[in-house]
């Protein structure tokens, strides 16, 4: 029983550490904000990686 608890603790800690370092990484994923209008600039080619969405009803 103690072995299961230890393995669970290690697995949870590994997930927490991985999530923390992944979320706090500096990989240029922050949105670009237009200084004049204050709105977020979106590039559809980066958002829709599988291609642009198809029109509904066609």
């Amino acid at each position: 029983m103690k072995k299961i608890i230890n393995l669970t603790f290690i697995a949870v800690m590994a997930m927490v550490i991985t999530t923390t370092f992944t979320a706090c990484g500096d990989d240029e994923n922050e949105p670009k904000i237009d200084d004049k209008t204050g709105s977020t600039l979106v590039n559809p080619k980066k958002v829709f990686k599988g291609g642009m969405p198809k029109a509904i009803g066609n």
Side-chain angles (χ1 to χ4, degrees):
M1 185 68 165
K2 187 175 181 180
K3 189 174 185 178
I4 294 173
I5 293 172
N6 284 341
L7 289 175
T8 304
F9 177 75
I10 290 171
V12 168
M13 290 306 294
M15 288 189 301
V16 168
I17 290 170
T18 303
T19 304
T20 301
F21 285 126
T22 303
C24 297
D26 186 22
D27 56 351
E28 302 291 328
N29 279 341
E30 295 298 321
K32 307 276 189 278
I33 298 176
D34 188 8
D35 293 331
K36 293 179 182 177
T37 61
S39 61
T40 304
L41 301 174
V42 177
N43 185 355
K45 290 183 180 179
K46 290 184 179 179
V47 174
F48 300 106
K49 300 231 182 216
M52 294 297 287
K54 306 292 185 243
I56 298 174
N58 287 344

